[in-house]
Amino acid sequence: MGKFLPDNIVTNEDLSKLIDTSDEWITERTGIKERRHIVKGSGDSPATMGNKAALIALERANRAPEDIDMILFATLSPDYYFPGSGVLVQKLLGIPACPAMDIRMQCSGFIYGLSTADQFIKTGMYKNVLVIGAENHSGGLDFTTRGRGVSVIFGDGAGAAVLTREEDPNKGILSSHLYSEGQHAEELSLIGPSTMRWVPEIIAENDPTDESYYPYMNGQTVFKHAVVRFSEVINEGLQKNNWAASDIDMFVPHQANLRISQFIQKKFQLRDDQVYNNIMRYGNTTAASIPIALTEAWEEGKIKEGDKVVLAAFGSGFTWGSTLMHW
Ligand code: ACO
């Protein structure tokens, strides 16, 4: 595992100088105290941050870039409209030819990536798969008071994992559980830069009140669905593996909102030492949040070999999923 976060720390106080918000409002509703933002012109992007996280993961896994058979890149904020950021990482890593696929599953992207890697490895097709989650949110948020319901929540960063074949069926990923429900697609979405908005017309309109370029979130609807789906998909994984909630050594939820994590912790009666949260420091980094949190939990010695680890995510789509593993 590896992670990369930009140095630039943006506190709630910093944001309250730009927009009508407060540390109290943000902390009470989300648990976030600060997040990282890319500095414009620094050269950092989802691909470059993903590459930095990947280089750390490769070194720790004792693998060279040429050992990688496939790259899976989860993001909702790709460097370019097309091609995907996966091929940009492939270029940066100097891998001449391998599949490099972007995953457009937003907050659930890393869970989808792990599951996809797991399938390719278990079928015997590939041996080493690099899975990256990376986001540049700050480049696309509305930092005026109009956008405050969304812009205070998200942060930038990247995390990466190198997955490899393990002959012992009781080690590594045991099961993944994936879902989507497109009927709620617009409840958490960014419609603007798309083929559904005729680009020449948008340019001709040059309308400063056009909000379609910024993410839209129906926060309360997202909250209600998130707590239900998180619970369902964790339960499904526990049942599949005959685990009780008390068996979990470490639960790493997608860092959506501290209140959602606390709700799930309470529901499954998990102790504080069974749950890893870092949203206070990084905000919600969407596809990057699980690999960053998992990397940190492991770096801090909170996940050890043989531990029972549960990951779960919910996000735009709506999409959700869980991964259960023996570390
Ligand atoms: N600072 C100060 N006031 C704000 C801010 C802000 N940053 N944002 C909104 N407000 C105001 C609103 O304008 C509104 O004012 P009004 O009552 O005068 O109209 C008031 O605060 C309440 O706004 P709501 O949107 O109703 O606030 P809510 O209590 O629902 O909290 C939040 C918003 C935190 C987003 C909440 O809905 C929530 O937790 N939702 C879950 C969704 C979530 O966590 N998403 C994370 C990203 S998606 C994902 O990862 C799954």
Side-chain angles (χ1 to χ4, degrees), residues 264-303:
I264 302 299
Q265 176 174 350
K266 208 167 156 197
K267 175 147 187 164
F268 286 91
Q269 298 180 314
L270 301 175
R271 300 180 310 272
D272 286 350
D273 64 295
Q274 288 175 288
V275 184
Y276 194 83
N277 287 307
N278 61 9
I279 192 169
M280 308 69 93
R281 285 177 279 130
Y282 303 136
N284 178 336
T285 57
T286 315
S289 92
I290 289 183
I292 292 172
L294 196 56
T295 303
E296 279 198 352
W298 174 68
E299 285 171 349
E300 290 168 14
K302 291 179 176 160
I303 302 177

Side-chain angles (χ1 to χ4, degrees), residues 244-255:
S246 55
D247 292 332
I248 299 173
D249 293 302
M250 185 53 76
F251 170 50
V252 180
H254 159 53
Q255 303 290 297

Side-chain angles (χ1 to χ4, degrees), residues 116-148:
T116 308
D118 188 39
Q119 310 313 314
F120 274 107
I121 290 171
K122 281 186 179 146
T123 58
M125 183 138 175
Y126 296 129
K127 186 162 185 222
N128 298 309
V129 180
L130 173 62
V131 186
I132 298 170
E135 304 284 2
N136 169 13
H137 283 300
S138 63
L141 294 172
D142 180 1
F143 289 109
T144 68
T145 296
R146 182 179 69 177
R148 65 184 177 174

Side-chain angles (χ1 to χ4, degrees), residues 5-11 14 35-40 138:
L5 289 133
D7 292 336
N8 179 31
I9 298 171
V10 177
T11 64
D14 293 333
R35 72 287 291 143
R36 305 296 179 96
H37 284 174
I38 287 175
V39 173
K40 198 177 163 200
S138 63

Side-chain angles (χ1 to χ4, degrees), residues 21 25 29 107 148-149 217 219-220 254 256-257 259 284 314:
T21 189
W25 194 99
R29 312 278 173 127
C107 305
R148 65 184 177 174
M217 177 173 71
Q220 285 165 17
H254 159 53
N257 181 322
R259 291 193 309 160
N284 178 336
F314 175 88

Side-chain angles (χ1 to χ4, degrees), residues 2 59 66 68 105-106 154 157 167 184 190 219 259 276 298 319:
E59 195 189 338
E66 54 270 26
I68 294 299
M105 306 309 285
Q106 299 66 251
F154 295 97
E167 301 304 333
H184 305 293
L190 200 172
R259 291 193 309 160
Y276 194 83
W298 174 68
T319 61

